[in-house]
Amino acid sequence: MAAASHLQAALRGEATEGYAIDDAFRQETAQGKMFGVLVVADESTGAIGYLAAYSGQIGGRSDQEGFVPAVFDYLQPDGYFKQHEAEISRINQSIERLESNERMKAAQDIIRQLEKTRRQTIENYRQEMKAAKARRDERRKNADLTPEETQRLTRESQFMKAELHRLKMSVSKETALEREYNAFQDDIDQLRRLRRQLSDHLQRWLFSQFNMRDKDGQEADLLTIWAHADTPTDIPPAGSGECCEPKLLQYAFTHGLRPLQMAMFWWGESPKDIIRHHLHFYPACNGKCKPILRFMLGDLLPADLNLPISSDSTNDSAATAAPQTLETVYSDSSIIAVNKPAGLLSVPGKGQCVSALTLLRRMLPHAEGPLLAHRLDMSTSGLLLAAQTESMYHALQDLFLRHRIHKTYIALVCPHADSPLLDGRQQGTISLPLSLDFLDRPRQRVDHRHGKPAVTDYEVIGRQTDADGHTILRLALRPQTGRTHQLRMHCAHAEGLHAPIVGDPLYGNLAAPRMYLHAARLVFDHPTTGRKIEIECSPDF
């Protein structure tokens, strides 16, 4: 914490020994950057100090004064990477010029209209054939049909089928404009393939230059590390090796320094898609950093890489002592609703630890089927609905899929200064599409391009001030959809309420013994009786 404070003072512009930070540096980092500190001991003298690093580049440089350098500096103007990057840029420019060709844009519109006309011509003839067939069928119903007329009707049918074939052949003939346009598109496709091949080659070359050193002095490049790591792909994600953690450890291991403690904090504005809070500490990301850390640290690696160094954060993986049973809130012959405490998994994790499902099976030894009709995050408390028969399980699943089970959650949130909740807005609807952050599971991200729709109604139902002077609002949240971490993201994100749930270990801005989110109410029509069921369970906060 002392090391982080020392670095933060320098970032604020205070005169701090060891750093030369100018206005351009501060302006860029104010837009958002991850910084890291590593407390180390000198192996020869035993002296204690710290190293500092930032992720990626600042001002197009990886060697700012006062910070450890990049593991591999590929930004040298005349270096291999820059030369080949320039080649790829030239291909990009060629593609852009071709794609902006006005004549080919006009040709594309003409060809599209031509295709439409062709399809309509064939469809019109099909309708004509259909009408002619109806007339023939009607005529054949009459008993006075002569052999000659029967033959004529057959010839008419054969002729029209042949005519349809000739028509298709005729309209399918490629025009000179289409031949030119297709050749033009082939040129663009070839350039795109070349660009992809060169990019893949350059990326692999770059990964092969990042030779990471472990605590025992052994080295391996990123391609080798990923080939032996338990990761979804054998190719590292772009930017691997450029985060704070590997840069700090690489410097320590190559300069006779023993790492003692490490922490990363966010400085400045949050990115648009993910959630980061100024001055908050964050663990290593799952996708890019953890495979490298597992190689570099080996048995020095903490048992739980998700645990931040700072006590200002809580964690999804820090479960409370498992209960022996669950409070039953509602029960009938086919349905049961229980109150899941915060810190208890809904279903067993990789370690097959105690979960709400395992407790339910103990409570209902004769129940059939999967039981749980839905799940709650481990950090969320409240109502879990389960079926005691397999048929009821499928009936409840159907109700959830059709959004016929209406849920109300209670949450305590700590709004940022620009939160709409502080402008007197007491209720409303948030619509922010979400998708998984593949490089940092299970975190979600706002994704306006590929995300799944996520909609939440909210209402302010209370206000208080905590002992430290923070404004805390009590919200009723009613999700219209059921995306992963939907309520947590909609509360925390700047495009949502910009008021993170207190104690949220992934997206929060205020520490607490638990995450203050509780599933408080379920309303639905009973699948068997049709009776309206209203189940309520008040939070303990």
Side-chain angles (χ1 to χ4, degrees), residues 84-94 96:
H84 287 75
E85 184 182 54
E87 183 180 1
I88 294 171
S89 295
R90 287 192 292 271
I91 294 174
N92 279 331
Q93 293 166 5
S94 298
E96 289 171 2

Side-chain angles (χ1 to χ4, degrees), residues 154-193:
T154 301
R155 286 196 299 273
E156 179 184 272
S157 174
Q158 294 170 341
F159 172 80
M160 296 194 83
K161 289 178 180 177
E163 189 64 16
L164 176 63
H165 178 71
R166 286 191 291 271
L167 182 61
K168 287 181 178 179
M169 294 293 291
S170 175
V171 300
S172 66
K173 289 182 179 178
E174 200 173 51
T175 64
L177 181 62
E178 287 175 305
R179 286 193 293 273
E180 180 184 0
Y181 180 79
N182 290 337
F184 181 81
Q185 288 300 314
D186 286 343
D187 289 342
I188 294 178
D189 290 342
Q190 287 181 17
L191 285 173
R192 286 173 176 160
R193 285 193 293 272

Side-chain angles (χ1 to χ4, degrees), residues 38 40-47 49-52 67-71 211-217 219 246-259 296:
L38 176 66
V40 294
D42 189 309
E43 295 281 24
S44 58
T45 66
Y50 84 91
L51 307 172
F67 298 91
V68 300
V71 175
N211 288 300
M212 315 304 301
R213 180 172 295 189
D214 71 5
K215 65 182 181 63
D216 299 319
E219 291 191 351
K247 291 167 75 170
L248 289 166
L249 291 172
Q250 184 80 354
Y251 190 89
F253 289 147
T254 54
H255 289 79
L257 303 173
R258 179 164 53 90
M296 298 184 81

Side-chain angles (χ1 to χ4, degrees), residues 36-39 244-249 259-264 281-282 284 293 297 302 305 307-310:
V37 292
L38 176 66
V39 179
C244 299
E245 301 95 314
K247 291 167 75 170
L248 289 166
L249 291 172
L260 300 176
Q261 293 180 334
M262 180 163 58
M264 279 61 64
F281 290 83
Y282 290 91
L293 297 187
L297 292 174
L305 270 177
L307 287 173
I309 297 301
S310 170

Side-chain angles (χ1 to χ4, degrees), residues 11 258 350 450:
L11 296 175
R258 179 164 53 90
K350 291 182 179 179
H450 301 296

Side-chain angles (χ1 to χ4, degrees), residues 204 207-208 210 212 220-243 246 285-296 438-439:
R204 281 183 167 274
F207 291 146
S208 71
F210 276 78
M212 315 304 301
D221 63 36
L222 293 182
L223 292 174
T224 302
I225 292 173
W226 251 259
H228 295 88
D230 182 17
T231 56
T233 66
D234 59 356
I235 299 295
S240 296
E242 298 185 68
C243 295
C285 65
N286 289 301
K288 290 193 290 188
C289 285
K290 287 186 181 176
I292 302 175
L293 297 187
R294 289 189 179 98
F295 166 76
M296 298 184 81
F438 288 101
L439 293 181

Side-chain angles (χ1 to χ4, degrees), residues 9 22 44 52 81 140 143 159 163 236 251 253 271 308 329 362 381 401 470 496 502 511:
D22 57 21
S44 58
F81 183 87
R140 287 177 175 132
F159 172 80
E163 189 64 16
Y251 190 89
F253 289 147
V329 183
R362 292 177 195 170
S381 61
L401 287 172
H470 299 111
V502 176

